[in-house]
Amino acid sequence: MTQLHHAFTLFLSLLVEAFPFLLLGVSLSSALLLFIDEGKLIASIPKNPLLGAIAGSCIGFLFPVCECGNVPVARRFLLQGLPNSAAIGFLLAAPTINPIVIWSTWLAFRGQPEIVFYRILFSLIIAIAIGWIFSVQKDPRPMLQPLLAKRIMILSRQPRFARSRKKEPNLKESMLLQSGTFLLGADKGPMRLDETSAGTLSLTSDQSSVMNGRLKLFLENVTQELRELGGMLILGSAIAACLQVFVPREIVLSLGQGSISSILAMMLLAAIVSICSTVDAFFALSFASTFTTSSLLAFLVFGPMIDIKAVGLMLSIFQPRMIVYLFALAGQLTFILAMFHSYFL
């Protein structure tokens, strides 16, 4: 009973400490759904493979979404004909390179600011490198699921950003943050925003209906994301608490002290737990006393890029072999950078 009480106390402490950051991230991502002009944003990304990879990797500052929200954005990038490097760079970097994750990591490791710096640096290096590698494949369609590849082929024959809205001139679609979630069911399609809700009609529109429309869309998206991501946070916090209390400390210490074993163990844990990048720093903090700093960095870098939840989302876009390549490249580069940090930094 003492162990159960200790585990429950640790579970609640992790949950209470991390939930405000999850709520803040979800709220910002929902607000961006209403106020960001995706057409202008996408048009500003360079076509050059290297510059596209850099721009795609850094654009997460404008879209503070975790690994649940980055896949629809990357899909939209591919549909708009942007370079593979930009889409894949965003896919891998966005869950880490955004202000909410950086802030939460700094608060969790405020006594070790180098962890924040190296998390950002290593994530950017990996995302840019992999994006640049995949830029060799000029045509993205062989990497994609057949239906998405067919959609890209159709859109490639039309003027860029052209969309027919004759039937519904007062509606626009945003694919950057789609409705529907991975755990709660199939994609419901893009959110349809009434122009009055987006605030783009004339000032003669009824202001109360404008605000009500915005508030309704905002609350719907917040609710959808919190239902899924909140469940992942609870599961991750429970796993962390159980590992800390019920697993013999000798086993944890033996894994955490070796340079190689600790890095591999934390990378495996990151893939299995699938905790949201908005709050994973607090999860990793619970292992700070037993695992090396390099292994904590491996967890914080590899987890947001590749985890079980992300794989399910990626399969809606990419062919399985493409995901295997992403797994392999991200895992190897994370291990190499973590080992470099362990021995030289």
Side-chain angles (χ1 to χ4, degrees), residues 175-198:
M175 296 285 290
L176 290 178
L177 293 171
Q178 289 181 317
S179 61
T181 58
F182 172 62
L183 292 182
L184 299 178
D187 178 19
K188 300 175 185 177
M191 283 194 172
R192 301 173 67 82
L193 306 182
D194 193 301
E195 294 289 352
T196 57
S197 300

Side-chain angles (χ1 to χ4, degrees), residues 48-50 83-85 88 130-139:
N48 179 272
L50 179 58
N84 301 343
S85 57
I88 294 175
I130 296 178
W132 201 11
I133 290 172
F134 278 102
S135 68
V136 176
Q137 177 69 39
K138 300 299 182 182
D139 184 0

Side-chain angles (χ1 to χ4, degrees), residues 40-96:
K40 293 181 180 179
L41 177 65
I42 293 173
S44 66
I45 298 178
K47 288 287 191 177
N48 179 272
L50 179 58
L51 296 178
I54 295 173
S57 299
C58 295
I59 208 172
F61 278 98
L62 299 178
F63 293 91
V65 292
C66 69
E67 54 270 30
C68 293
N70 63 336
V71 174
V73 184
R75 177 181 183 274
R76 183 62 167 180
F77 284 171
L78 292 170
L79 284 172
Q80 292 290 354
L82 264 69
N84 301 343
S85 57
I88 294 175
F90 177 87
L91 183 71
L92 296 177
T96 302

Side-chain angles (χ1 to χ4, degrees), residues 32-169:
L32 287 170
L33 172 65
L34 301 179
F35 299 111
I36 289 292
D37 187 335
E38 67 175 68
K40 293 181 180 179
L41 177 65
I42 293 173
S44 66
I45 298 178
K47 288 287 191 177
N48 179 272
L50 179 58
L51 296 178
I54 295 173
S57 299
C58 295
I59 208 172
F61 278 98
L62 299 178
F63 293 91
V65 292
C66 69
E67 54 270 30
C68 293
N70 63 336
V71 174
V73 184
R75 177 181 183 274
R76 183 62 167 180
F77 284 171
L78 292 170
L79 284 172
Q80 292 290 354
L82 264 69
N84 301 343
S85 57
I88 294 175
F90 177 87
L91 183 71
L92 296 177
T96 302
I97 311 302
N98 73 65
I100 304 302
V101 173
I102 294 172
W103 183 34
S104 65
T105 306
W106 180 81
L107 285 181
F109 293 96
R110 63 179 64 190
Q112 298 175 280
E114 67 276 7
I115 289 183
V116 182
F117 172 76
Y118 285 119
R119 183 184 194 186
I120 297 171
L121 179 63
F122 290 173
S123 297
L124 280 175
I125 291 173
I126 294 172
I128 293 171
I130 296 178
W132 201 11
I133 290 172
F134 278 102
S135 68
V136 176
Q137 177 69 39
K138 300 299 182 182
D139 184 0
R141 288 175 292 180
M143 302 185 300
L144 307 177
Q145 292 291 348
L147 290 178
L148 184 59
K150 182 178 179 181
R151 176 65 174 162
I152 289 178
M153 183 175 64
I154 294 173
L155 289 178
S156 64
R157 299 170 183 171
Q158 303 174 359
R160 198 166 177 222
F161 303 120
R163 293 291 183 270
S164 175
R165 298 177 185 172
K166 295 181 180 179
K167 294 182 179 179
E168 297 171 299

